[in-house]
Amino acid sequence: MTATEPGRVGDFATDFDHTDPAWVHDPYPIWEDLRGRCPVAHTDRYGGAWLPVTHEGVAAVAYDTEHFTSRSVVISNVKPGPLDLPAPIGLAPPITSDPPFHAMARRLLLPAFSPKAIAALEPMTRQLCRDLLDATEGRDELDAATDYAQHIPLKVIIGMLGFPQEDADIFRRFIHMVLESVNATAEERLAQIENGEIDAYINAQIDDHLAHPRDDLTSFLLSAELDGAKLAPEHVRGTMVLLMIAGIDTTWSAIGSSIWHLGLHPEDRRRLAGEPELLPTAMEEFLRAYAPVTMARMVAKDVELEGRTLHEGDWLLLPFPAANRDPAVFPDADRVVIDRADNRHAAFGLGIHRCLGSNLARMELRVALSEWMARYPEFEVSDPDAVTWSAGQVRGPRRIPIRILR
Amino acid sequence: MQVHVDRERCQGHSRCYDLAPEIFDVDDLGNAFELGDGTVPPELHDKARLAQTNCPEHAIEIRED
C-alpha cells in the first residue's frame, strides 16, 4: 500500500489529488485545463488512480459495468484488494454492488424513493425548514450551512430510518469520518472505521427495531426478503450506512451551494425572488453547475479510456461535476444560467447507479430554497473569503456567512 | 407527435415526469413511461421536447409527423 505523499500538487495531469487545497477551493479551472490536454489524468497517490474530465469519458465509465466495478466508491489510502470486500454485495448495497446482484438490491429500495413516495414527505420537510428559519428570526447575520442547510437532510433521513432525532451529532461525526478524512493515513482510517462505533450504533438501532417494529425504513429492511430469504445482516447494516452517508452531506451541499450562489449574484437572487415559478429550472442549473458528488470505481478488467490503458485494480475517480462543466455538451458551461432550458446534467450520475435518493434530494432542495427565498428574499454572503468547502468526493460549502438585508 | 420512453435506457431520473406529467408517468419503481399511446396534442409539443432535452439518459424518443 502506497501512502500519499504529503504536500501540494504541482501538475494535476500527473499527480492529481482531490483533497488538495487548490481543488477544494475551486476545482473548475483544474478540470478545464485537463480537458484541453489529457483528457484522462493520473496520480500515484492513493495507490494509483485515474481521472476522466470530459462528459464523454465520465459517461463511458458510468455505463461500463463490465470493466469498472463499484465495490469501492470512496477513494482513500485504504485500497481494497480483490478479496477484501464481500462481492457481489459490497459494503453498502446497492451503491457498492455490481450486476446482477445490484438490480435486486436496488429494486428493493426503489419504491421507498419513488417520486410518489417522496411527495408524502414534503409537508414534514417544509415544516422542518420553517422551524429552522423561525429559529433565525430577528438575526441580521446567520450561517446558511450550519444554521439551515445542514439540518434539513439530516433530520429527514433520521426520520426515514426511525432513529432518535437527538442522535444528529453522532450522524454528523460518522459522515465526516467516512467522507472527509480520506486523506488520513491508512492506519488512522482503519482505526477509525474498525473501532466499531458505527457498527455498535447501528446494531443498537436494529435491536430496538426488532423488539419494536414500526413503519420506517429500518423495520422495512429487517422484514424485506430477496429470493424468499431475509436480507443478510451485513446487507441490512450496509444499506443503513449507505442511507446515512449518501443522503445527508450530498443534499446539504446542494442546498448550501445554491444559497451561496444566490448570495453572491444579486441579479439571479432578485429574479428568483420575483419569479418563484422559475425555481424548478434554476435548481437544476445549480445542480449542474455545483454538482456535489464525485463517485469512484475500480478497474475490473484492463481497458482503454480516451487513449489511456487502465489496469485491473486501479482506482478511478468519476467526477460528474466535471462532466457537467464540459463545454462540448453544455454551451457556456462555466456560466450559471438560471433559466437554462436544455439541461441533461449528470449531477445524480448516469446509468444503473443513478442516485437512488434523487427524488428525495430534489424535493428537499426545492422546498429548502423556496422556504428560504420566501423568508429572506434579500440577503448576501457577508464575507466571501470566510466560506469554506468540504474536501473529498462530496463538495459543498460548510460555512456560508449570510447578512440579511432589510 | 408521438413520444416513447426507452425502458432499457430510462434509469428513473424522473425529469420527464417533473416537467411534463401530462405526457409521462412513473411506475412504483420510479421508472418512466408515456401515457396512453404516446400521442402528444399540439399544445404540449414544447413540453415534450423539453422533457427530451432534459433526460440525462437520452431515453425519450420523439416522432414528429
Side-chain angles (χ1 to χ4, degrees), chain A residues 286-308:
Chain A
F286 297 145
L287 285 168
R288 181 193 70 83
Y290 307 117
V293 181
T294 289
M295 287 301 301
R297 297 285 188 269
M298 290 186 98
V299 179
K301 289 183 201 167
D302 290 7
V303 65
E304 294 281 319
L305 180 67
E306 297 188 298
R308 310 294 294 261

Side-chain angles (χ1 to χ4, degrees), chain A residues 63 116 341-342 344 349 351 354, chain B residues 11-12 25 52-55 57:
Chain A
Y63 287 124
K116 292 166 190 177
D342 302 338
R344 298 183 197 263
R354 184 270 303 170
Chain B
Q11 298 292 348
D25 199 355
Q52 184 183 43
T53 56
N54 279 274
C55 175
E57 311 286 352

Side-chain angles (χ1 to χ4, degrees), chain A residues 58-77:
Chain A
V58 168
V61 174
Y63 287 124
D64 184 352
T65 55
E66 183 190 347
H67 295 96
F68 298 94
T69 168
S70 285
R71 65 200 172 85
S72 187
V73 291
V74 180
I75 290 186
S76 75
N77 285 318

Side-chain angles (χ1 to χ4, degrees), chain A residues 79-321:
Chain A
K79 187 176 184 178
L83 302 175
D84 288 346
L85 295 169
I89 301 176
L91 291 175
I95 202 171
T96 57
S97 313
D98 290 324
F101 180 83
H102 166 267
M104 291 188 293
R106 182 176 171 91
R107 195 183 171 85
L108 197 68
L109 293 169
L110 280 169
F113 291 90
S114 73
K116 292 166 190 177
I118 293 304
L121 300 174
E122 184 167 330
M124 177 270 278
T125 307
R126 195 170 292 281
Q127 189 57 49
L128 169 63
C129 293
R130 289 182 181 167
D131 291 346
L132 289 166
L133 290 167
D134 285 348
T136 66
E137 203 59 58
R139 288 166 55 186
D140 294 325
E141 306 267 343
L142 59 113
D143 190 305
T146 58
D147 289 327
Y148 189 61
Q150 177 181 63
H151 302 284
I152 299 162
L154 187 62
K155 285 173 184 278
V156 169
I157 291 280
I158 289 179
M160 288 178 82
L161 284 167
F163 293 2
Q165 283 290 347
E166 55 270 25
D167 290 352
D169 284 338
I170 301 177
F171 267 58
R172 267 197 284 272
R173 205 151 35 79
F174 289 166
I175 296 163
H176 185 86
M177 194 187 292
V178 173
L179 293 178
E180 291 197 42
S181 68
V182 296
N183 212 11
T185 65
E187 291 70 23
E188 286 165 347
R189 195 167 164 84
L190 285 171
Q192 279 178 341
I193 289 167
E194 286 174 2
N195 74 9
E197 199 189 350
I198 296 183
D199 275 351
Y201 179 81
I202 288 180
N203 285 341
Q205 298 303 325
I206 287 177
D207 289 345
D208 184 54
H209 278 78
L210 285 172
H212 312 282
R214 39 208 195 251
D215 182 19
D216 58 30
L217 271 177
T218 302
S219 287
F220 167 76
L221 286 169
L222 289 168
S223 63
E225 293 187 355
L226 266 187
D227 285 341
K230 289 269 178 68
L231 302 184
E234 60 271 23
H235 185 154
V236 173
R237 273 200 299 270
T239 297
M240 290 167 76
V241 168
L242 168 62
L243 298 176
M244 288 167 60
I245 302 294
I248 297 174
D249 248 29
T250 49
T251 308
W252 165 21
S253 296
I255 298 169
S257 297
S258 304
I259 295 175
W260 168 79
H261 174 89
L262 292 168
L264 289 174
H265 296 86
E267 67 291 358
D268 287 345
R269 176 178 55 73
R270 285 190 204 106
R271 184 162 177 214
L272 200 52
E275 300 172 51
E277 66 281 6
L278 192 59
L279 178 60
T281 307
M283 177 185 116
E284 296 300 323
E285 177 67 345
F286 297 145
L287 285 168
R288 181 193 70 83
Y290 307 117
V293 181
T294 289
M295 287 301 301
R297 297 285 188 269
M298 290 186 98
V299 179
K301 289 183 201 167
D302 290 7
V303 65
E304 294 281 319
L305 180 67
E306 297 188 298
R308 310 294 294 261
T309 304
L310 284 48
H311 294 289
E312 182 180 340
D314 293 345
W315 289 114
L316 179 137
L317 208 53
L318 194 56
F320 292 108

Side-chain angles (χ1 to χ4, degrees), chain B residues 17-34:
Chain B
Y17 176 59
D18 267 1
L19 290 164
E22 307 90 335
I23 307 171
F24 303 96
D25 199 355
V26 288
D27 62 19
D28 288 347
L29 300 180
N31 293 320
F33 59 93
E34 65 276 11

